[in-house]
Structures are given as C-alpha cells and as structure tokens.
Amino acid sequence: MVVAAYQEITREWWRNAPERFDLVASQLVVAEAGSGDPEAAQVRLKMLELIPLLDATPEAENLAQSLVDLDAVPRQAAEDAAHIAIAVTNGVDFLVTWNFRHIANAAMRARIEHTCRQAGYEPPVICTPNELMEANHAESTD
C-alpha cells in the first residue's frame, strides 16, 4: 500500500514539476529508471528523454569518495553517494528521492551536508516528491 502511494505521488509530481522546476537528472538516474519491470521502465525512460543530464565530473567523483570516506554515506551505498555528489557539484537546489535509507534520511542528512560544506559546496535540499508538492490553498480551511 505504501509503495502504491509513493508511485501515485511520484506520478502527480512528474505531472506538475516541469512547470515549477528546471528538472535535471544524471546517467545514474537513467540507469536506475531502466531497471525493473520492462513496461514500467519504458515509461520512466520516456519521461527522462527530455530531461538534461548532469555531468559526473572528477569533482563529483571526489566528493562521492569523501561522502563515503567520512561516513556520511555507507561504503556499500557508494552509488547513492555518487547521486548526491553529482547533484551537489552541479549546483542543484533540490535532490528529490524516495531513498530513505541513505539519502532522504534525517539521521544522515547532517553528515551529508557537513561533508559537502567541508568540501566547499552548498548541498541541495534533500527531500521527497511530496515535500515539493504545492498545496491547494483553495481547499484549505482557515
């Protein structure tokens, strides 16, 4: 049930996000989107076709290594460190993810942010799609 809710939130976010944000991704995101159920992967890849891809620069590789070396991200999650580092070194404002284990994790966020700042970068806001959904204020009761 939770996964189905996340999927619906993600679909809704993708419907509205291009109007509100300059969307970017990385080759890592494309690779992940292409895995799993072939039909679902095809839909995900289609959505990513028009999204500019960020460069995985040597600076990103160095920051990813620092995130692992300084225990901001566990060694076994080095690919997650790469996701973060690519976003950080490209100056992304928001890193949107459902990865609660190693990225959108309140316990790890401070270490990630500290490591990024220590390396001279301002980290993005790490959040889930529903945290960037605009509330429908017309429906709110004051």
Side-chain angles (χ1 to χ4, degrees):
M1 231 160 94
V2 172
V3 171
Y6 288 166
Q7 289 171 339
E8 183 52 37
I9 290 167
T10 301
R11 282 190 286 275
E12 183 179 340
W13 187 84
W14 273 100
R15 280 191 296 272
N16 298 310
E19 298 167 10
R20 299 179 56 222
F21 302 100
D22 294 325
L23 302 180
V24 293
S26 70
Q27 191 57 48
L28 290 173
V29 172
V30 173
E32 286 182 5
S35 65
D37 176 71
E39 287 180 32
Q42 195 170 40
V43 170
R44 291 189 297 267
L45 291 171
K46 181 76 173 157
M47 294 180 81
L48 288 169
E49 282 180 357
L50 300 176
I51 306 295
L53 297 183
L54 300 172
D55 292 327
T57 62
E59 293 81 9
E61 291 176 24
N62 290 338
L63 180 57
Q65 190 62 54
S66 293
L67 287 163
V68 170
D69 289 346
L70 297 173
D71 294 323
V73 176
R75 190 161 303 284
Q76 70 270 18
E79 191 167 290
D80 293 337
H83 278 292
I84 296 165
I86 291 168
V88 170
T89 58
N90 281 279
V92 169
D93 294 325
F94 297 99
L95 175 56
V96 182
T97 182
W98 286 113
N99 182 334
F100 295 114
R101 189 167 206 169
H102 302 123
I103 301 177
N105 179 310
M108 297 176 74
R109 190 171 291 134
R111 292 193 309 252
I112 291 168
E113 291 174 355
H114 175 75
T115 301
C116 293
R117 288 187 178 112
Q118 188 176 3
Y121 298 100
E122 186 58 30
V125 173
I126 298 172
C127 57
T128 62
N130 61 323
E131 291 177 290
L132 287 180
M133 302 279 272
E134 196 167 87
N136 184 348
H137 299 290
E139 292 179 12
S140 67
T141 56
D142 294 7

